[in-house]
Structure formats: structure tokens, C-alpha cells
Amino acid sequence: MTRIDAKFAELKAEGRKAFVAYIMAGDPDYDRSMEVLRGMPGAGVDIIELGLPFTDPMADGHTIQLAGQRALEAGQTLEKTLQMVRSFREEDDTTPIVLMGYYNPIYSRGVARFLEEAVEAGIDGLIIVDLPPEEDDELCLPAQAAGMNFIRLATPTTDDTRLPKVMQNTSGFVYYVSITGITGAAAADAADVAPEVARIKSTTNLPVIVGFGIRTPDTAKAIAGVADGCVVGSAIVAEIGAGKSKGDILSFVAALADGAHKG
């Protein structure tokens, strides 16, 4: 059982929905990013998604693209991202961390080496947005053999023919993308999301977490109310990009978490 599996079992026993929060590793620099990362569990975050900066983030909107650029310009690397997780684990050995990004940095490092280092650092799962199920031999199956969850995205365009293929080797949870397009492009609508979550849950026993387009505590509550939880990324990254203090950022995160937990 991974930390992700344990967290969802704990939440289910408590009758609570999950709040998942995303930040870009190294944004705006290593030290300030590390401060926010360390503060997230105390702000009510159940699972942390840690973005891996990449030069060509095709699935990300303007806000997260800029975060990646800031991180790269500040010298963030895959090695430094792994070090962030190692440092986090010195104080917190229970909060799940999912590394989210693109395959190129992992491929460049070498899959076997990366997986060994990621497990040692304390990463629990991967979301690699540019590896489809047809490429499961590349990273998904080796990652699961190494004891990590491989979390897949389902979208409004994932039809009933495609969905079983997407679910085939998914573990941990399913990330449902509430809107068509890039991150931060539109607002999520619980009325539109609910039937899609039900459709996915008819094919899997995994929790379904909804992301994209969630910016307020009320929206987090509404979306979590029709799913097993929600993810907020761009709204948090925008606070970081605006130069807010660690306290202000974590207060914003805490309000979102409170909304999700009431869902």
C-alpha cells in the first residue's frame, strides 16, 4: 500500500473528501518553494502534486508555464526537485507526494535511475501527461513495479471506447480534467462534472479527483461534493507568482482545503 492508498483509506474512514494541491517545484526559487511545500499539510492539503519544471509544458496554461520558467531561471532541476522531496520527508513521512510533469526529463535521466532515486526520495506517484496508455511499458509499468502509483488523466473527450484503455494500468486515483483545454482556462462546473465522474466510477474502484478550473473555496466544495475530492493548481501558483508571502499563500490554500473538505 502506497501513502496515496493509505491516505484515501483514511479519508474514507473519516467520511471526508480529498484536497490535492499543486505547486511548481522551485517557483519562484528553491528556498521559498520549499517553505510553501513544508507548510501545505498544516494548511489542510491531503496530497501534494509537485510540478517538475520543463521547457515545453504543452498541457499547461499561462500561469503554470510562467511558474515553470521562473523555476528554471532560478536553477531548478530534476535533482533539486528530488532533493526538495528528501528534505520534506525529514519532517513528514505520511503526506503523499505526486510528481507531475513531462517524460523528457525522466527519459534524459534514465528510467531505472530515476525510479530508484524517486522511491528513495519519497515520491509516491507520477502523473506524466504526455505518456499515453500505449506507452505503458516505457514508465507506467516499471514505476508500479517499483512501488509507485501511476495516475492517469481522463478528460471530457475520453469516450466509452477509450476509457477502459485509460483505466487499464491506472493506480492511486484517477485525475478527471473538468474542462477541455489547458490548465487555468475556464471555471469548473459541478453540474457538468457529476455525470462524468459517475461514468468513470462505473469502470473503476479508484477514487476520482477533479482538477482544472477550481479557484475558490465554494467551487472546491461544489466539485468535491460530486467527486472524491478536488485538485487546485493554477490558483495557488498565481498567488506565488504575485509575490504573496508564505503566510498569505498558505492561508489561501487553507481556505480552499476547508471548502473541499466540506464537499
Side-chain angles (χ1 to χ4, degrees), residues 126-147:
L126 299 174
I127 301 175
I128 307 299
V129 298
D130 55 347
L131 274 182
E134 287 75 14
E135 305 297 333
D136 275 357
D137 289 343
E138 194 79 20
L139 180 61
C140 171
L141 296 181
Q144 296 197 107

Side-chain angles (χ1 to χ4, degrees), residues 24-36:
M24 178 67 71
D27 173 36
D29 56 50
Y30 184 96
D31 290 339
R32 283 181 284 180
S33 184
M34 194 71 231
E35 287 182 354
V36 173

